[in-house]
Amino acid sequence: MELRNLYQEPHRRFNPLTRDWVLVSPHRAERPWQGHLEAAVSAPPLPYDPNCYLCPGNERAGGARNPQYHSTFVFTNDFAALKPVQFDVQPARQDDSRRGLLRSESEAGTCKVMCFSPRHDLTLARMTVPEITSVVDIWAEQYAEIGSLPYIDYVQIFENRGEIMGCSNPHPHGQIWANQTIPNEPRKEQESQKAYLDGTHACLLCDYLQLETQAGIRMVIENAHFAALVPFWAVWPFEVLLLSKLHIGHMGSLDPAMRSALADIFKQLTMRYDNLFEISFPYSMGFHQSPTDSQAHPEWHLHAHFYPPLLRSATVRKFMVGYEMLAGPQRDITPETAAATLRNLNPIHYAERRLREPTL
Ligand code: H2U
Ligand code: ZN
């Protein structure tokens, strides 16, 4: 069957980063929806909220008080999932069954919270490019600083946005969790990138970006140093993969021009996301970059994944349940349709457009 026809019919696509398959069912996109609707837009927040744990000068849940910060502010999570080790100790390992069925290991690390802005009512989409650039600077600084700890092998930078993603606070913030071992997702990507480099003497994501640049159909937006596209193997309806154009392994290698280009593409992409359903768009986003395990990692290519949960409107989300939980991921609208939708959105943020429109 010709590939174009194949894409009208149920088919599966391979994710070379995780080596998983995703089932694509383009014909199901029009099915009716009588299920759960998410609550639509809540009232816009104020620039300062006296009850917010993250606003400048306020007391946090753990009892500490935030300083009167003026740009990006980082603190150690008061309810950290990982704890640092004070001196160089080997991880403790145990196998209660002696046959590998009841294995456990101690895991050290650190967790930080990063307030992107002192303004409670902003998001990355509404911040200026220089303001986002200072967020990028702190990401790079934290990656280097935390990664230089002898017991940290991986630094995971991420942002959970919106109540629908389980985010506890609307104040613009992200998190950094850093582990003694490489967690599942980056470990899978590391194995795939390494095998590809060993087998082809080329970088998996450099080759992939070249294909996508030629094809154009899944590209959403690009600038001098970064490209944002809906990957061929996307699972979430409006999933985006953000790639550096140069082969760099981590944020420490970003020069000032690349940092502002990263800030620029962040703003362009998150504005388009907000414009899609004219709401402050929820997602989980995170960077994947070289482990900090003191090994050389020529296979690693810096990138970020955006996983937004919404499907057809501000109130209809994609549920990863049933077949997805028990068998594998499945999607209805094709990555090509999702990319075209995002690409063709108005590049000006809807809230700014509303301000400019004359009121009747
Ligand atoms: P989410 O918005 O994704 O829920 O993350 C907020 C994090 O902030 C969460 O991990 C931490 C929580 O532990 N936090 C503090 O460290 N101190 C506080 O006073 C409130 C929240
Ligand atoms: Zn706040």
Side-chain angles (χ1 to χ4, degrees):
M1 198 193 294
E2 217 194 301
L3 216 54
R4 206 174 318 119
N5 296 336
L6 172 75
Y7 290 170
Q8 319 288 322
E9 298 292 330
H11 62 278
R12 63 182 196 146
R13 298 188 185 191
F14 181 66
N15 178 341
L17 278 173
T18 59
R19 303 186 207 183
D20 283 332
W21 291 87
V22 53
L23 180 62
V24 186
S25 316
H27 58 293
R28 281 180 99 236
E30 298 312 317
R31 80 200 155 103
W33 179 258
Q34 292 185 318
H36 179 72
L37 298 179
E38 298 297 331
V41 204
S42 43
L46 298 167
Y48 169 75
D49 178 349
N51 297 315
C52 169
Y53 293 127
L54 304 181
C55 271
N58 289 3
E59 190 175 312
R60 296 206 300 270
R65 187 169 289 281
N66 297 322
Q68 284 294 346
Y69 63 94
H70 298 288
S71 66
T72 306
F73 165 59
V74 183
F75 63 92
T76 300
N77 197 312
D78 298 307
F79 309 95
L82 291 154
K83 293 182 187 166
V85 284
Q86 300 305 325
F87 44 87
D88 195 13
V89 282
Q90 290 301 312
R93 293 198 172 86
Q94 202 162 309
D95 177 4
D96 287 346
S97 72
R98 296 182 199 284
R99 288 187 171 182
L101 296 178
L102 295 172
R103 280 171 64 185
S104 56
E105 295 182 6
S106 61
E107 182 74 4
T110 184
C111 298
K112 302 213 174 185
V113 180
M114 233 176 108
C115 301
F116 296 147
S117 163
R119 284 266 305 267
H120 185 84
D121 59 336
L122 291 185
T123 59
L124 287 171
R126 305 299 310 281
M127 286 163 66
T128 64
V129 172
E131 284 168 344
I132 306 171
T133 307
S134 62
V135 175
V136 174
D137 287 339
I138 306 284
W139 278 334
E141 195 180 292
Q142 289 288 320
Y143 170 81
E145 192 180 307
I146 302 171
S148 71
L149 293 169
Y151 60 90
I152 295 295
D153 278 4
Y154 195 78
V155 180
Q156 182 59 59
I157 295 171
F158 65 98
E159 181 193 7
N160 245 353
R161 260 196 55 64
E163 276 173 53
I164 188 176
M165 296 309 290
C167 179
S168 60
N169 190 317
H171 195 109
H173 68 282
Q175 296 192 55
I176 304 172
W177 290 23
N179 288 58
Q180 192 169 13
T181 59
I182 305 175
N184 298 348
E185 296 306 313
R187 182 177 41 76
K188 282 189 260 178
E189 292 194 359
Q190 159 147 322
E191 286 164 6
S192 307
Q193 289 175 102
K194 174 128 189 15
Y196 191 89
L197 181 68
D198 290 347
T200 64
H201 305 290
C203 161
L204 190 159
L205 287 176
C206 284
D207 276 5
Y208 177 61
L209 181 57
Q210 200 183 353
L211 288 175
E212 289 294 16
T213 307
Q214 278 161 8
I217 47 172
R218 282 171 294 273
M219 200 60 84
V220 176
I221 192 161
E222 59 181 314
N223 64 22
H225 296 289
F226 287 89
L229 53 92
V230 180
F232 180 75
W233 53 83
V235 165
W236 293 94
F238 293 96
E239 180 174 329
V240 159
L241 178 65
L242 180 61
L243 291 160
S244 64
K245 289 192 171 174
L246 282 182
H247 181 71
I248 54 169
H250 56 81
M251 295 181 121
S253 304
L254 295 173
D255 67 19
M258 289 164 153
R259 288 177 186 206
S260 53
L262 179 54
D264 168 72
I265 204 156
F266 244 87
K267 184 167 172 76
Q268 301 305 326
L269 177 63
T270 51
M271 276 200 315
R272 274 161 204 268
Y273 269 158
D274 280 8
N275 284 345
L276 181 60
F277 301 130
E278 301 214 340
I279 50 152
S280 189
F281 200 69
Y283 58 75
S284 271
M285 172 290 286
F287 287 94
H288 280 156
Q289 48 190 330
S290 306
T292 53
D293 55 1
S294 313
Q295 309 291 312
H297 285 291
E299 73 278 14
W300 265 95
H301 188 124
L302 172 69
H303 61 278
H305 298 279
F306 285 78
Y307 299 134
L310 294 179
L311 174 58
R312 277 190 279 180
S313 70
T315 53
V316 177
R317 66 164 297 168
K318 160 89 184 155
F319 284 99
M320 288 286 182
V321 293
Y323 184 85
E324 279 94 346
M325 279 180 145
L326 290 149
Q330 182 270 343
R331 65 176 295 132
D332 297 346
I333 60 164
T334 63
E336 294 72 30
T337 305
T341 306
L342 290 172
R343 199 168 50 233
N344 295 329
L345 285 167
N346 193 322
I348 300 167
H349 196 275
Y350 71 89
E352 277 154 40
R353 265 183 283 137
R354 280 181 197 164
L355 283 177
R356 288 183 206 170
E357 277 163 15
T359 42
L360 295 176

